[in-house]
Amino acid sequence: MSSIYSVRNVFEKDNKGKVVIIIVGVVIVILIMILIVLLVSDKSEDNSIQGNSNDVEVTQDEIPVSTEYNEEHKYTLDDYLPWTNYDYLEDGSGVDVKYDITENTAIPKGIVVTVNGCDEETNKANANAYLSTIPVDLNEYEISYIVKECNK
């Protein structure tokens, strides 16, 4: 007699304990599969809530932010934005961006100010000084600030 049991042998020999163990194992595997499917579907719903593109962020005050081109967005500040203030790095390795101002394409009337965190307050003040020179009433615009980490 073989010591290897198949499922058919378990049922034929009337070993109820082994049958119960097999059924419990199958139920556990099914529950794990259902849990995995639910977790995957929740993540895909979260992505669709944020928008169709993966470049949408949410600021601290929960305003959706995107600086990527969006053909459905009505650009109203084309003559003034994007605007970037930067210095060339002395070692010739590139530029040090102080601030970057673009339209927020995730909402109808929004502006995104991305500032370098090395001198956050000065960079915000300089960006706001530039925005105050634009001959457009910015009161109806939602301004979002994103602070990038300091790379020194």
Side-chain angles (χ1 to χ4, degrees):
M1 187 176 260
S2 172
S3 64
I4 300 174
Y5 290 98
S6 69
V7 174
R8 190 181 82 208
N9 289 342
V10 170
F11 285 107
E12 286 178 359
K13 292 186 178 190
D14 203 24
N15 293 327
K16 292 183 182 182
K18 291 180 182 178
V19 171
V20 170
I21 291 174
I22 290 174
I23 292 173
V24 168
V26 169
V27 169
I28 290 173
V29 169
I30 291 172
L31 290 175
I32 290 172
M33 303 247 328
I34 291 172
L35 182 64
I36 290 171
V37 168
L38 289 175
L39 290 174
V40 169
S41 67
D42 282 347
K43 289 195 184 279
S44 66
E45 285 178 16
D46 289 343
N47 289 340
S48 66
I49 289 171
Q50 289 184 351
N52 293 337
S53 61
N54 292 333
D55 61 316
V56 175
E57 297 180 38
V58 177
T59 58
Q60 289 178 343
D61 43 3
E62 298 183 5
I63 299 170
V65 172
S66 174
T67 57
E68 297 298 315
Y69 175 75
N70 180 354
E71 63 184 24
E72 296 174 6
H73 179 74
K74 181 180 177 187
Y75 288 86
T76 56
L77 301 172
D78 277 343
D79 295 336
Y80 313 105
L81 301 180
W83 182 260
T84 303
N85 183 19
Y86 60 89
D87 289 332
Y88 287 101
L89 295 174
E90 292 178 7
D91 62 4
S93 63
V95 295
D96 178 25
V97 175
K98 307 295 185 190
Y99 65 82
D100 181 61
I101 308 173
T102 57
E103 284 197 53
N104 184 356
T105 59
I107 60 176
K109 286 200 169 187
I111 297 172
V112 179
V113 179
T114 305
V115 297
N116 185 328
C118 293
D119 192 1
E120 178 183 344
E121 293 305 317
T122 302
N123 292 331
K124 275 187 180 179
N126 291 339
N128 288 329
Y130 172 76
L131 286 173
S132 67
T133 66
I134 296 176
V136 174
D137 182 14
L138 297 179
N139 289 330
E140 42 187 71
Y141 284 81
E142 190 75 41
I143 300 176
S144 302
Y145 295 91
I146 298 175
V147 179
K148 296 293 181 186
E149 81 178 45
C150 180
N151 294 323
K152 279 194 173 186

